[in-house]
Amino acid sequence: FGGGMMRQGWSIDNFEVGRALGKGKFGQVYLGREKKSRFVVALKVMFKEELKKNGVEHQLRREIEIQTHLRHPHIVRMYGVFHDATKVYLILEYAPRGELYRLLEQKGHFNDAETATYVTELASALIYCHERKIIHRDIKPENLLLGIYGELKIADFGWSVHSPNSRRATMCGTLDYLAPEMVENKPHDETIDIWCLGILVFELLTGKAPFHCTDAEGGQMETARRITHISYTCPPSMSEGAADLIRQLLVYLGSHRLPLKQVLAHPWIVANKQDRSRQLTI
Ligand SMILES: CC(=O)NC[C@@H]1CCN(c2c(Cl)cnc3[nH]c(-c4cn(C)nc4C)nc23)C1
């Protein structure tokens, strides 16, 4: 299938289509298998009408341009694209262990070893993106999938695909991961991803986003205020090392956030990250 992926002219007839894996604003993601090679993929099917109605065709073109050229173990591959009269199909790498946020919901929170390992995998993927001048901008549990070893894979293509019971009602309803420069409508650069990484570390360890406010606590306005004032507290259950890393990531000025290469060298990360290869328990 690999060699063939560079060939042009895929059509849905080349694939057997299986169960729906998740659905999004612009269509469904299905399990798929290329008939000749029997190679299993995820097929993301979007309706051209929907894309047009939402004015996202150019965004999709940009995402395809980016995604088809990224080759990294912690980024979901896009092998190819094809379309017919009514639909656009993305041929994507299938992540066998599903969505990170579902695992987080099941477990409540992760321990230091699990979290430091996810952070190592995510930081290496983001370093790869930033070297190519690509800012992800939307790092959060809903956009992260898990490979055969349980390793993390970034699965975002520029907008969220919400699986059936996605945790958050709407993407735009989620302020939790917005950086101060986004809340204040200021220009942003790749350090926005470092902010989101800080939010993610906190949420993986505690099960809650640091600035989240329920409607009773003041809702989105209060969340936005707490973001721009960096107003959060780490629970006593959190280790000092983790709190220190979070403190160096959730910094108001993007240029003062800990660079990703130094995240990989942080004492708490070095002390807690695990090697994945021994963890294939199916
Ligand atoms: C950002 C995003 O695309 N989120 C979720 C989409 C729905 C399923 N998508 C998958 C994509 Cl794009 C790729 N691989 C997947 N594997 C699964 C999955 C596996 N299990 C056991 N359960 C599930 C679910 N889902 C996918 C993507």
Side-chain angles (χ1 to χ4, degrees), residues 25-26 48-59:
K25 273 196 293 186
F26 304 109
K48 290 182 175 177
E49 265 315 297
E50 283 266 26
L51 297 172
K52 208 178 311 232
K53 200 170 60 183
N54 292 278
V56 290
E57 304 102 311
H58 63 281
Q59 183 188 353

Side-chain angles (χ1 to χ4, degrees), residues 4 12 26 42 52 68 80 101 113 126 136 154-155 158 162 180 186 234 251 254 276:
I12 194 60
F26 304 109
K52 208 178 311 232
T68 46
Y101 92 80
L126 290 174
H136 187 276
I154 301 177
H162 301 286
K186 290 178 179 167
C234 294
V251 174
R276 282 280 181 206

Side-chain angles (χ1 to χ4, degrees), residues 128-147:
Y128 174 88
C129 290
H130 291 180
E131 283 167 350
R132 288 154 183 78
K133 290 294 158 220
I134 291 164
I135 311 174
H136 187 276
R137 277 195 303 261
D138 201 10
I139 294 298
K140 56 178 188 270
E142 285 87 336
N143 288 341
L144 302 172
L145 295 172
L146 299 168

Side-chain angles (χ1 to χ4, degrees), residues 19-23 29 42 44 76 92-99 102 142-146 155-157 159-163:
R19 78 174 179 94
L21 293 169
K23 78 186 190 64
V29 181
K44 185 163 166 182
V76 168
L92 302 165
E93 174 186 358
Y94 170 63
R97 294 234 194 145
E99 298 167 294
R102 199 182 290 280
E142 285 87 336
N143 288 341
L144 302 172
L145 295 172
L146 299 168
D156 170 67
F157 310 105
W159 57 81
S160 69
V161 175
H162 301 286
S163 49

Side-chain angles (χ1 to χ4, degrees), residues 20-160:
L21 293 169
K23 78 186 190 64
K25 273 196 293 186
F26 304 109
Q28 286 261 11
V29 181
Y30 296 92
L31 195 56
R33 184 169 63 190
E34 200 276 319
K35 288 173 180 169
K36 282 201 180 51
S37 63
R38 303 175 68 74
F39 191 86
V40 173
V41 295
L43 282 174
K44 185 163 166 182
V45 184
M46 295 170 282
F47 288 88
K48 290 182 175 177
E49 265 315 297
E50 283 266 26
L51 297 172
K52 208 178 311 232
K53 200 170 60 183
N54 292 278
V56 290
E57 304 102 311
H58 63 281
Q59 183 188 353
L60 177 59
R61 257 185 267 278
R62 182 174 57 83
E63 290 304 328
I64 290 169
E65 181 51 33
I66 291 174
Q67 199 73 30
T68 46
H69 292 94
L70 295 180
R71 307 281 157 91
H72 190 279
H74 299 303
I75 297 175
V76 168
R77 277 291 306 281
M78 184 184 291
Y79 298 115
V81 183
F82 58 92
H83 64 99
D84 59 25
T86 56
K87 296 187 275 300
V88 176
Y89 303 80
L90 307 183
I91 312 171
L92 302 165
E93 174 186 358
Y94 170 63
R97 294 234 194 145
E99 298 167 294
L100 177 71
Y101 92 80
R102 199 182 290 280
L103 186 60
L104 177 60
E105 270 182 347
Q106 278 163 14
K107 300 187 82 165
H109 64 89
F110 296 113
N111 64 33
D112 284 16
E114 291 161 334
T115 302
T117 306
Y118 288 137
V119 170
T120 300
E121 294 164 341
L122 182 52
S124 60
L126 290 174
I127 289 168
Y128 174 88
C129 290
H130 291 180
E131 283 167 350
R132 288 154 183 78
K133 290 294 158 220
I134 291 164
I135 311 174
H136 187 276
R137 277 195 303 261
D138 201 10
I139 294 298
K140 56 178 188 270
E142 285 87 336
N143 288 341
L144 302 172
L145 295 172
L146 299 168
I148 187 78
Y149 297 105
E151 77 277 22
L152 179 146
K153 289 179 180 269
I154 301 177
D156 170 67
F157 310 105
W159 57 81
S160 69

